Amino acid sequence: MAASDDRILEASAKHPKPADQKFQYGTAGFRMKANLLDSVVFRVGLLAALRSRKLGGQTIGVMITASHNPPEDNGVKLVDPMGEMLEASWEAHATTLANAATDQALVEEYNKLEIDLKIKPEIAARVILARDTRASGPPLVDALVDAFKATGSEYVDHNLLTTPQLHYLVRCINTKDTQYEYGNASEEGYYEKVAAAFLKAMKGRKVNGGVTVDCANGVGGEKLRNLVKYLPKVEETGVEIKIVNDDVVHPERLNHQATDFVKTNQRPPPSSQAAPLTRCASLDGDADRIIYYFVDTDNHFRLLDGDKIATLAATFIGDLSRNAGLGDKLKVGVVQTAYANGASTQYITKTLNLPVVCTPTGVKYLHHAATKFDVGVYFEANGHGTVVFSPSALKTLATHEPQSPAQHTALETLRALTDLINQTVGDALSDLLLVEVILAHKTWGPKEWDSTYTDLPNRLVRVEVPDRNIFKTTDAERKLESPPGVQGQIDGLVGKYKQGRSFARASGTEDAVRVYAEAATRGEADDLATKVSQVVKQSG
């Protein structure tokens, strides 16, 4: 037995797998109750070492977070060298290692992967890691470190970061001293890059009024406070960021009435004291999603979700491209999921005249589809998203010669956006500043932004089921193919409502099915959601 086998065996014995648990690496990595994660996190550490060696010693990221999930949950996921999600084919390897029944079986699976994937163990493995503010984080970091020591991996623990900051660091490290250099590989480098781009993109413009940001009592509060220190003074840009709900001393308050609450209940958090027409935003626990909202002068709640952010960004980037003289050289497209409001899709295709692609839910699907455009805008309705500029688009922006002062101004703003936007993954902090830049350029408040199109009334309902795995979808998750006959019942219900649309899809992380419904009126949307939920409940 090799010395490394002995080290893995010894370390694995400290992190035994629960006998009755089966684990699966999904879009969000592994995510579950934190007390089940110890062995999983250790084994993800082993996989990170294999992944780095397979890629010639490039640095891999490991993030310990459960994002928007409740405080008692936690999770772990891998980040590939360009700051993207783990290559899909490796998800099965993660699942295999996580489910090895014994320490000896784990070593055998590890060695088998090393052989099958032609990995050279002598190559140095390099990993960086970070976590969110959950109380379960530190002991899970210990499990990771045990794996890195057992595999002889070089590692750096960045302690508390937002998930997008870790993605940023991974890309910076792996692109250093190349033509694709992404920035200074440090937390400070992140703030410096974003703040400098924000100042350049604002171009002396000012926003009317501040924005109140609810940080979900998560890591985003501290990191947004840090970022604000690097931003221009309020007098220069008009952007005053008021931070609320940034209590990380009491971990049980994490994600309390955060983005999911606002999106699902379609009302502000009860703690909100915002005056009418004040811009408000909510982050989630690891700051990779953001939604805006406000209360109008009639005291009606108005949601500005991921669809509204996507259309705002697509409009602005499309206008800038044309104004810079690049309208025929940059193909701008929008990527959505089935959760996107039908009115947003109509607005993008009919008013903005931009192409829309629909993918299954999950960042890896949206991000991949976005890379097919010169400039791909993707946001899930829940507020997770970003904008991706292709290498050819970046080259075009770098080499284009403007023919007038107006073209020059538009081009400089576009260039600034490529640095302001975190292109590796959805990033609530950089997306917040992106929205503020666009509103400043357009001299819009939330009311003007909201008036671009009117959402169809909609409702999202969570239905608990004994086994979510029986619900299988097709057509980018817009249709159920099993259980048999359920989709026909849903279609029959939808046909009874004006502008009706509804679908059901299994949660990726819990035994529940999410039912989405929209229709011409609020009453009809609620009624349709209730009836489809009943069909799902009966079939599950």
Side-chain angles (χ1 to χ4, degrees):
M1 183 181 291
S4 61
D5 290 358
D6 287 336
R7 289 195 299 270
I8 293 172
L9 267 177
E10 184 180 347
S12 181
K14 294 163 57 179
H15 307 284
K17 177 187 177 294
D20 57 343
Q21 295 294 322
K22 184 167 175 55
F23 305 111
Q24 183 162 359
Y25 193 103
T27 300
F30 292 110
R31 195 177 290 179
M32 65 198 77
K33 292 287 178 279
N35 61 4
L36 297 173
L37 263 172
D38 182 63
S39 68
V40 173
V41 171
F42 171 76
R43 294 163 185 220
V44 167
L46 300 182
L47 190 72
L50 289 172
R51 183 71 179 152
S52 177
R53 289 188 169 115
K54 174 63 178 175
L55 298 176
Q58 292 187 82
T59 297
I60 297 298
V62 185
M63 186 71 198
I64 295 177
T65 181
S67 191
H68 58 279
N69 279 37
E72 61 271 18
D73 291 1
N74 215 327
V76 60
K77 64 179 182 178
L78 293 180
V79 180
D80 260 359
M82 286 299 281
E84 73 273 53
M85 312 296 275
L86 176 67
E87 183 184 307
S89 65
W90 276 64
E91 292 178 9
H93 305 326
T95 300
T96 296
L97 290 182
N99 289 301
T102 65
D103 301 334
Q104 184 59 47
L106 174 64
V107 170
E108 289 170 5
E109 291 290 0
Y110 181 90
N111 289 334
K112 184 174 186 299
L113 283 175
E114 202 171 61
I115 293 166
D116 291 350
L117 298 169
K118 298 181 172 57
I119 293 169
K120 298 177 179 176
E122 66 272 14
I123 292 175
R126 300 180 178 90
V127 188
I128 65 171
L129 65 140
R131 61 181 176 88
D132 68 14
T133 56
R134 293 165 198 271
S136 57
L140 293 176
V141 167
D142 292 342
L144 261 186
V145 169
D146 283 347
F148 298 151
K149 288 178 177 177
T151 53
S153 303
E154 301 170 19
Y155 68 92
V156 177
D157 182 359
H158 286 273
N159 200 2
L160 295 174
L161 289 177
T162 70
T163 295
Q165 286 178 325
L166 182 78
H167 283 254
Y168 164 88
L169 289 178
V170 171
R171 185 160 178 168
C172 288
I173 292 166
N174 288 304
T175 58
K176 185 174 170 56
D177 298 326
T178 74
Q179 62 176 320
Y180 303 110
E181 189 155 340
Y182 196 61
N184 176 6
S186 68
E187 186 179 340
E188 294 72 26
Y190 170 90
Y191 300 131
E192 289 166 354
K193 178 180 179 179
V194 171
F198 176 69
L199 179 61
K200 186 178 174 186
M202 286 295 281
K203 285 223 176 272
R205 289 171 170 79
K206 285 194 174 184
V207 176
N208 182 22
V211 56
T212 299
V213 184
D214 183 328
C215 294
N217 298 310
V219 68
E222 176 199 342
K223 303 311 181 185
L224 182 54
R225 285 194 189 281
N226 290 346
L227 175 57
V228 167
K229 295 172 188 173
Y230 291 79
L231 295 178
K233 289 185 169 57
V234 174
E235 304 83 69
E236 288 183 61
T237 63
V239 180
E240 181 178 6
I241 297 174
K242 180 185 177 185
I243 297 171
V244 297
N245 290 332
D246 61 339
D247 174 11
V248 296
V249 177
H250 301 93
E252 70 276 6
R253 293 189 55 79
L254 177 70
N255 284 321
H256 180 63
Q257 297 172 341
T259 50
D260 269 3
F261 175 91
V262 176
K263 173 68 176 166
T264 302
N265 293 283
Q266 303 202 15
R267 61 187 175 95
S271 61
S272 176
Q273 303 295 319
L277 300 183
T278 299
R279 296 191 308 287
C280 300
S282 283
L283 316 184
D284 68 338
D286 65 337
D288 69 351
R289 56 162 91 169
I290 182 171
I291 55 174
Y292 270 72
Y293 49 93
F294 70 103
V295 175
D296 67 18
T297 50
D298 295 324
N299 212 33
H300 294 141
F301 172 77
R302 305 297 300 168
L303 179 66
L304 299 160
D305 62 5
D307 295 341
K308 285 277 166 112
I309 297 173
T311 54
L312 184 71
T315 302
F316 187 56
I317 291 169
D319 288 347
L320 285 176
S321 298
R322 286 186 292 274
N323 293 341
L326 291 169
D328 58 344
K329 292 183 180 177
L330 293 179
K331 184 182 181 185
V332 181
V334 180
V335 185
Q336 297 184 318
T337 71
Y339 287 111
N341 193 279
S344 72
T345 310
Q346 182 88 352
Y347 177 74
I348 295 164
T349 55
K350 303 299 184 189
T351 304
L352 302 183
N353 293 314
L354 293 175
V356 172
V357 173
C358 186
T359 74
T361 303
V363 179
K364 62 184 180 184
Y365 301 113
L366 288 119
H367 194 94
H368 179 71
T371 61
K372 305 299 184 187
F373 295 104
D374 293 322
V375 184
V377 180
Y378 74 84
F379 277 84
E380 294 183 283
N382 64 24
H384 187 261
T386 189
V387 181
V388 181
F389 294 81
S390 71
S392 66
L394 293 173
K395 185 176 180 181
T396 297
L397 291 174
T399 58
H400 181 63
E401 295 284 349
Q403 301 301 306
S404 69
Q407 285 194 3
H408 179 266
T409 299
L411 181 63
E412 286 299 298
T413 305
L414 267 176
R415 288 171 175 166
L417 293 187
T418 66
D419 284 331
L420 176 62
I421 295 163
N422 186 345
Q423 296 182 51
T424 65
V425 74
D427 184 338
L429 304 190
S430 76
D431 289 340
L432 170 76
L433 296 183
L434 172 64
V435 169
E436 295 300 312
V437 163
I438 299 172
L439 295 179
H441 275 258
K442 289 183 169 292
T443 64
W444 280 2
K447 184 179 178 182
E448 290 79 12
W449 176 14
D450 186 42
S451 69
T452 50
Y453 66 87
T454 302
D455 271 336
L456 287 168
N458 60 91
R459 181 64 71 205
L460 182 61
V461 179
R462 179 179 173 275
V463 182
E464 290 190 7
V465 294
D467 181 10
R468 70 180 186 268
N469 295 312
I470 68 171
F471 293 89
K472 306 288 186 187
T473 61
T474 185
D475 189 24
E477 300 180 328
R478 291 175 286 194
K479 301 281 186 186
L480 276 175
E481 57 183 10
S482 73
V486 175
Q487 186 59 48
Q489 293 180 64
I490 294 174
D491 291 342
L493 290 169
V494 167
K496 297 175 182 177
Y497 295 85
K498 184 179 179 183
Q499 293 181 278
R501 183 171 75 92
S502 184
F503 65 91
R505 65 172 287 274
S507 166
T509 55
E510 55 187 342
D511 273 326
V513 171
R514 289 186 169 83
V515 170
Y516 176 88
E518 63 186 32
T521 67
R522 162 61 56 211
E524 288 181 311
D526 289 347
D527 193 45
L528 178 57
T530 299
K531 288 180 176 174
V532 173
S533 297
Q534 290 168 350
V535 168
V536 167
K537 190 79 175 172
Q538 290 162 6
S539 63

